[in-house]
Amino acid sequence: MGIREAASGRTDAYPFDPENLVIVGFDTDEREQLDLFDGTRSDDDISPEMIESVMESGVIQPIVVTWRNRRVEVVDGRRRVRALRKANKKLVKNGHAAKTILGVVKSGGSAELIEAMMISNEHRLENPPSVKAENIVRYMEVTGKKERATAAAFGCTRQNINNYRRINKCCEEVKQALDEKKVRMRDVLTLHNLDLEGQLRELQKIIRTRKEECEGYENGDGDDGGGDDDGGGDDGGGGGGGEGWNDPNAVSIRAPRKSVIDKVIELATEKDEFHGTLDADVIATLKWVTGKGQATEVPGLTDILSQIDT
């Protein structure tokens, strides 16, 4: 069986000169009002190493394009196109031929195109919280999808989606502090209900409190409640000092109180928005640790315990 027989179908793919492709909002003056604008306005994210790699091997992964407004617009692969443009300038300057990039043509309405662009970027890039929050809100507005479908698309829970929507309503100063890890998401989830002056006032209080807590943990003092990066829970855990506690956005909780573990078990087993967040084996382990479950319920645990003199 050959390639054609093995394939489930055919698609339109063509080699493009990157200079003939249009990156909406980057190559044009159009900005946020256009569906295929992702907020990128500079080439700061194109590293010299990436340019050298493209000069050597070209762009291996195809991009996705669409024909609209009498031009070829980039749906997915905007960064690859920008990198190839820079690489080609160096190649031509050194007397080499410019490279092309393979583009798969995608048709459809604005909702389908923006969904393809945003989900692809979300799964590939490590966006800061404020960008992810903006993407989630924009995704829901364009596609008309509700919390459950959006959570599935972004690989998180419905509670996370609601939390990001709250963050998106906060002022830019709050978003920046969150991106810079000066505060945790759980610290600022209620600030969107305040006016600008109130948000700024509470933000400074939170930053001061977090700084004092982190300094305390670096010295081995204090009993802070840990926090989930997505703000999914309402309770926190305490623990000793040491490495990692100086990160105000840290998810890790050392030596949590039993009440915290009980809360985690309750949320993971009884709340719909957290259903499936933890594997059954993890829940069984937590129950065993707190004395609410048997070691036999944790796969492999009894074998390990048999080798320990208890």
Side-chain angles (χ1 to χ4, degrees), residues 16-28:
F16 290 95
D17 180 338
E19 299 297 335
N20 293 334
L21 301 174
V22 175
I23 301 176
V24 176
F26 185 85
D27 295 328
T28 68

Side-chain angles (χ1 to χ4, degrees), residues 3-246:
I3 293 292
R4 291 184 178 179
E5 291 76 14
S8 299
R10 300 185 63 179
T11 186
D12 292 329
Y14 305 93
F16 290 95
D17 180 338
E19 299 297 335
N20 293 334
L21 301 174
V22 175
I23 301 176
V24 176
F26 185 85
D27 295 328
T28 68
D29 291 333
E30 299 134 331
R31 285 295 188 252
E32 290 83 348
Q33 72 272 19
L34 291 183
D35 51 6
L36 293 184
F37 176 60
D38 67 352
T40 303
R41 297 184 175 89
S42 72
D43 282 328
D44 293 342
D45 58 340
I46 307 297
S47 67
E49 293 77 14
M50 184 177 185
I51 296 174
E52 291 296 326
S53 174
V54 172
M55 290 176 63
E56 179 67 25
S57 306
V59 177
I60 299 175
Q61 182 180 357
I63 62 173
V64 178
V65 299
T66 191
W67 174 256
R68 293 195 314 171
N69 304 317
R70 302 181 64 82
R71 62 193 186 187
V72 182
E73 298 179 356
V74 181
V75 176
D76 179 48
R78 300 160 62 97
R79 185 165 176 254
R80 279 165 277 166
V81 171
R82 292 187 285 112
L84 182 56
R85 288 174 179 175
K86 286 182 168 292
N88 277 346
K89 289 180 180 179
K90 287 193 172 185
L91 287 171
V92 172
K93 184 178 181 180
N94 295 332
H96 301 289
K99 297 179 182 292
T100 58
I101 187 169
L102 189 64
V104 177
V105 180
K106 181 179 180 63
S107 59
S110 294
E112 294 174 303
L113 294 174
I114 191 174
E115 182 173 9
M117 180 189 74
M118 296 183 67
I119 296 304
S120 177
N121 286 342
E122 185 63 33
H123 290 170
R124 187 173 61 249
L125 304 176
E126 290 294 335
N127 288 323
S130 69
V131 174
K132 188 169 185 175
E134 181 180 351
N135 286 344
I136 286 173
V137 171
R138 189 171 171 215
Y139 177 87
M140 296 180 71
E141 290 176 348
V142 173
T143 64
K145 294 186 176 181
K146 303 300 182 181
E147 288 87 352
R148 184 182 294 275
T150 302
F154 281 78
C156 58
T157 67
R158 284 187 295 168
Q159 183 63 52
N160 296 152
I161 295 299
N162 288 328
N163 289 342
Y164 278 115
R165 294 174 70 184
R166 295 177 187 174
I167 293 301
N168 194 61
K169 296 178 181 178
C170 292
C171 65
E172 292 303 316
E173 288 81 359
V174 171
K175 295 178 182 178
Q176 182 176 351
L178 184 60
D179 290 346
E180 294 176 354
K181 298 185 178 182
K182 294 180 180 178
V183 296
R184 300 168 300 187
M185 183 176 287
R186 57 173 284 185
D187 295 327
V188 297
L189 285 178
T190 60
L191 297 190
H192 70 282
N193 291 320
L194 304 176
D195 58 19
L196 177 59
E197 183 178 348
Q199 288 189 39
L200 296 178
R201 182 175 58 252
E202 291 302 314
L203 176 63
Q204 293 306 313
K205 290 181 181 179
I206 293 171
I207 291 176
R208 286 196 299 270
T209 300
R210 289 299 300 154
K211 184 177 180 181
E212 293 171 357
E213 291 174 350
C214 292
E215 290 174 351
Y217 276 105
E218 287 178 341
N219 296 325
D221 302 325
D223 182 24
D224 174 47
D228 189 328
D229 186 38
D230 286 331
D234 299 321
D235 195 7
E243 184 181 357
W245 284 104
N246 58 341

